[in-house]
Amino acid sequence: MKTLAPIPHVDPLDPLALDDALDPDVRLVRDTVRDFVRSRILPEVGGWFEAGTFPRSMPRELGSLGLLGMHLEGYGCAGASATAYGIACRELEAGDSGLRSFVSVQGSLAMYPIHAYGSEAQKTTWLPRLATGEAIGCFGLSEWDYGSEPTGMRTTARTRGDGYVIDGTKAWITSGGIADVAIVWAHVDPQPGTPATGSDVRGFVVPTDTPGFTTRNIERKLSLRASVTSELVLADCYVPASAMLPGVRGMRGPLSCLNEARYGIVWGVVGAARACYEAALAYATTRVQWGKPIAGFQLTQEKLANMALELQKAQLLASHLGRLKDADTLAPAHVSFGKLNNVREALAIAREARTILGASGITLEYPIMRHMNNLESVLTYEGTSEIHTLIIGQALTGLAAFS
Amino acid sequence: MKILVTVKLVPDTTADKRIDPATKQLVRSGVETVLNPFDEYAIEAGLQLKEKIGGDTTVTIVTMAPESGKEIVRKALAMGADDAIMISDPKAEGSDVWGTAYALAQAIKKNGFDLVLCGTQSTDSITGELPGALAEFLGVPGITHARKLEVEGTTVRAERETDNGYAKVTADLPLLVSVTKSMNTPRYPALKGIMGAKKKTIAIASLADSGVDKPVGHEGARTELIDLVSPPTRGKGEVFQAADAVAGATKIIEFLRERKLV
């Protein structure tokens, strides 16, 4: 007679045991980043958020773990898989979205374009220092008047002598005020009267100590407070011709970078959502009303069950996109599926988790409202949910609702 | 210089643990296996010595565990150890401290060593006996509970933690040192280390191939677990209803004074 196998254990924090499918080295990446977040970030991040600061030592600490540009090959980078990069983003964002944003910008928006499109000199000058966190990078695409429509950017680079003079203002730039180098996108020698298709857009590697380059931090934020957000002002900012990224022209350049960063977000928000769910679960099982833990009430159980369900679905989606990326078959529209769904659901989980904690949920004693506020930024940066909806719409119908 | 670090694979220290009353063994299903946290201090000590001494100094991990634990051992390689030796044999199951120390000693002797580093204890059985037994089987001096360790040439200088301070001791290589938590802060395996660890060797050997010529495991165990007794459940605490904060504080101070805690 066949004996009955014991019923497998269900871990409330990974109910479908999705992490069991991870390769051992990816699991090691997970454990490393999770330990770092638990011991270094969680005890302090509430204070950083409240004070609106990003610790100056953090880039080097992240660099020493090898997390900056970890998915790139060579030049001091670890060459990890897309899935490993995703797991790192997830565990970082379980700490704080600001922390993950720093890593995304450094690796995917500053290092990636240099790695993919840069000259050998640009690579050797910047990548090793950016990988250790000795140097900090930022990415200048958005402007005050041009967000979802980056092609309309006003920043220009005009030929002068052996180089270019860049003029323009970039807005909402993560790490801008602390950066050593900025990847700045600009129309090159625009001709008056020609329609702005963006085909004249080029990227420039601009050291932030270049004369004419100044920054101003954007204060009074209610979201991503443990992260630096800045305005970059380039006024008569002369750079040599060698500052231009030689390997790409047109909007494909910046959009390919965004696609990298958006992929990290698909994973990252799973971490933020998990942190909210964990906090709600722990609270519900210990908070007693009417003589029993509130987790024993049907309404709370429904909330927890739905949160766990969406969390696991988001994780499945992220893991699937990771496999596609590792197989080089990831399309931008695929990433839009992930970002649209996962940020939306992470925000919904954060809001639902808050209700379980009642008044306590609004304080910085618990991570939930901090995550919720952070996720409001994540919902609209790197492509708003509306833009991602339209990217999916175009992929499904073949008809572009915007250009 | 050949540095060997012994490690043990243990159930996740933060997980709830259960003993199977029939076998008197820890139930391991559903509980993740991790490197014994105490051993991470020994690994870190080995890596710091390697960085300091340089040259052809190597750090080799030694363990006795089922082959399924291979990927856990890889964490030590990701931290920076050069390679690992793993005794994996069904006949090793049920080994007590004597059997484990004996088997590890044979594998270590076979490999050759100058310095063997151990954690002070494991988080599962917590006997703390292995380092002493292993030094005995290796026939070398054992400095246990070291909080500081320096190697100069073949001379080892260490500070041993004692009940009321520490003792400065010196000894010559080859020898064994067990390392306490106050010696260092174990490093995180960095990404490059994790990627590099995939290419490092974990040599798996049977008991016979490791030179173990006496029965270990259940068969060779010199200790027998007779009974397991749960610690007495703590009684309910005293509850005082204080009229106000001053009365409450007074009561607490009285309570502590009675027990000579203040």
Side-chain angles (χ1 to χ4, degrees):
Chain A
M1 195 182 85
K2 200 176 164 227
T3 53
L4 287 175
I7 295 170
H9 171 74
V10 173
D11 174 3
L13 300 183
D14 182 15
L16 299 178
L18 298 179
D19 273 10
D20 287 4
L22 298 174
D23 287 342
D25 58 316
V26 178
R27 216 171 301 171
L28 209 43
V29 172
R30 176 197 68 182
D31 294 346
T32 292
V33 183
R34 194 180 277 184
D35 275 1
F36 172 77
V37 166
R38 188 159 38 200
S39 62
R40 177 72 180 98
I41 304 300
L42 292 183
E44 296 198 58
V45 66
W48 299 336
F49 187 95
E50 192 167 24
T53 55
F54 178 71
R56 201 66 187 81
S57 64
M58 197 46 62
R60 276 177 194 271
E61 291 180 51
L62 295 163
S64 71
L65 289 174
L67 295 175
L68 305 177
M70 64 180 268
H71 59 313
L72 306 175
E73 287 274 358
Y75 304 96
C77 305
S81 67
T83 301
Y85 174 54
I87 284 284
C89 288
R90 184 185 81 182
E91 296 305 326
L92 286 169
E93 196 152 351
D96 192 83
S97 302
L99 184 71
R100 199 270 307 140
S101 295
F102 173 82
V103 172
S104 287
V105 168
Q106 183 89 349
S108 291
L109 296 182
M111 295 174 73
Y112 172 80
I114 296 175
H115 193 271
Y117 310 124
S119 65
E120 194 54 33
Q122 288 166 342
K123 291 180 195 181
T124 50
T125 303
W126 289 109
L127 291 178
R129 294 176 60 211
L130 290 165
T132 58
E134 182 194 336
I136 297 173
C138 69
F139 179 85
L141 177 66
S142 295
E143 300 182 357
W144 292 113
D145 292 337
Y146 291 94
S148 293
E149 188 200 348
T151 315
M153 70 175 81
R154 294 211 178 94
T155 302
T156 58
R158 294 177 198 276
T159 308
R160 182 194 292 169
D162 291 335
Y164 298 91
V165 174
I166 307 176
D167 284 284
T169 301
K170 297 294 182 180
W172 308 113
I173 309 305
T174 297
S175 303
I178 54 171
D180 300 287
V181 64
I183 308 300
V184 175
W185 302 91
H187 292 289
V188 174
D189 295 325
Q191 302 303 313
T194 51
T197 59
S199 60
D200 58 352
V201 167
R202 299 295 296 257
F204 294 86
V205 182
V206 186
T208 56
D209 58 4
T210 305
F213 188 108
T214 53
T215 65
R216 183 183 64 84
N217 289 346
I218 298 170
E219 309 288 351
R220 307 189 78 198
K221 292 181 294 176
L222 296 173
S223 176
L224 292 183
R225 291 186 52 76
S227 169
V228 178
T229 313
S230 317
E231 174 191 59
L232 313 180
V233 180
L234 295 94
D236 204 28
C237 185
Y238 176 81
V239 293
S242 61
M244 186 188 269
L245 288 171
V248 71
R249 59 174 65 235
M251 289 307 289
R252 196 173 71 79
L255 294 181
S256 66
C257 300
L258 292 177
N259 212 42
E260 288 291 303
R262 289 166 178 174
Y263 167 78
I265 293 171
V266 173
W267 282 85
V269 293
V270 176
R274 188 190 70 208
C276 295
Y277 160 78
E278 276 187 45
L281 183 63
Y283 188 90
T285 49
T286 49
R287 168 77 172 177
V288 174
Q289 295 286 277
W290 294 284
K292 67 172 179 180
I294 60 171
F297 291 97
Q298 290 181 358
L299 290 176
T300 311
Q301 288 195 359
E302 187 192 29
K303 290 179 186 181
L304 292 169
N306 283 332
M307 286 160 70
L309 199 59
E310 289 308 327
L311 187 59
Q312 298 277 280
K313 283 153 74 177
Q315 179 59 61
L316 282 170
L317 183 48
S319 302
H320 179 66
L321 296 189
R323 282 190 290 272
L324 294 183
K325 189 160 165 58
D326 277 325
D328 279 330
T329 54
L330 185 71
H334 291 146
V335 181
S336 291
F337 272 90
K339 194 196 177 239
L340 179 61
N341 180 77
N342 286 10
V343 184
R344 183 160 70 190
E345 295 308 327
L347 199 45
I349 287 169
R351 288 175 179 153
E352 192 80 305
R354 213 289 292 170
T355 67
I356 291 178
L357 272 76
S360 297
I362 69 160
T363 69
L364 274 171
E365 302 303 319
Y366 293 91
I368 296 176
M369 193 123 174
R370 176 169 54 81
H371 282 302
M372 192 199 300
N373 279 17
N374 284 339
L375 287 167
E376 289 290 349
S377 293
V378 182
L379 184 68
T380 54
Y381 77 11
E382 304 275 350
T384 62
S385 47
E386 289 80 3
I387 289 293
H388 287 293
T389 304
L390 298 181
I391 292 173
I392 294 172
Q394 183 180 357
L396 300 180
T397 63
L399 301 168
F402 72 104
S403 57
Chain B
M1 179 163 132
K2 277 186 172 177
I3 302 173
L4 273 75
V5 184
T6 61
V7 303
K8 184 176 186 183
L9 309 190
V10 297
D12 185 355
T13 41
T14 57
D16 280 336
K17 294 181 198 77
R18 222 158 39 80
I19 305 282
D20 183 333
T23 62
K24 301 196 190 94
Q25 298 278 328
L26 196 67
V27 178
R28 283 177 188 262
S29 71
V31 181
E32 211 171 327
T33 304
V34 298
L35 274 185
N36 174 33
F38 284 93
D39 297 340
E40 294 192 12
Y41 300 91
I43 299 168
E44 179 64 32
L47 296 175
Q48 288 187 10
L49 280 176
K50 177 183 156 127
E51 283 158 3
K52 207 165 164 202
I53 299 166
D56 56 357
T57 302
T58 53
V59 176
T60 299
I61 304 298
V62 192
T63 190
M64 184 158 85
E67 208 174 322
S68 57
K70 198 173 165 184
E71 295 310 328
I72 318 291
V73 173
R74 216 173 281 282
K75 180 182 177 186
L77 302 183
M79 286 171 75
D82 296 278
D83 55 2
I85 299 168
M86 205 169 162
I87 309 172
S88 293
D89 198 316
K91 288 202 232 56
E93 202 185 318
S95 290
D96 58 0
V97 173
W98 182 90
T100 308
Y102 183 75
L104 289 174
Q106 304 318 307
I108 290 169
K109 279 196 267 189
K110 200 173 171 197
N111 182 78
F113 69 100
D114 297 297
L115 174 65
V116 175
L117 296 171
C118 308
T120 51
Q121 65 204 62
S122 60
T123 54
D124 53 358
S125 46
I126 329 182
T127 68
E129 290 166 342
L130 185 110
L134 184 55
E136 185 65 24
F137 281 128
L138 291 170
V140 298
I143 300 175
T144 53
H145 296 93
R147 63 167 209 182
K148 205 173 164 199
L149 176 66
E150 283 168 8
V151 180
E152 218 179 296
T154 57
T155 308
V156 173
R157 268 184 278 278
E159 288 178 9
R160 263 195 93 235
E161 282 179 13
T162 64
D163 285 343
N164 42 18
Y166 65 91
K168 289 187 173 183
V169 290
T170 63
D172 280 337
L173 295 173
L175 88 165
L176 177 146
V177 179
S178 79
V179 169
T180 68
K181 283 181 156 186
S182 34
M183 186 176 286
N184 55 46
T185 307
R187 66 193 65 189
Y188 292 106
L191 257 292
K192 263 191 268 180
I194 293 172
M195 303 300 292
K198 284 199 252 187
K199 295 175 206 107
K200 292 179 178 172
T201 312
I202 300 176
I204 295 177
S206 65
L207 286 166
D209 290 344
S210 309
V212 182
D213 53 357
K214 291 179 190 168
V216 295
H218 289 295
E219 194 193 341
R222 310 250 169 137
T223 43
E224 188 191 350
L225 188 58
I226 298 165
D227 201 5
L228 279 167
V229 184
S230 299
T233 44
R234 204 175 288 183
K236 248 196 161 160
E238 276 182 81
V239 178
F240 299 110
Q241 291 292 346
D244 54 35
V246 174
T250 313
K251 193 76 200 166
I252 290 168
I253 289 169
E254 266 172 38
F255 178 88
L256 294 172
R257 281 218 176 105
E258 273 168 32
R259 284 156 187 79
K260 299 199 168 17
L261 294 169
V262 287

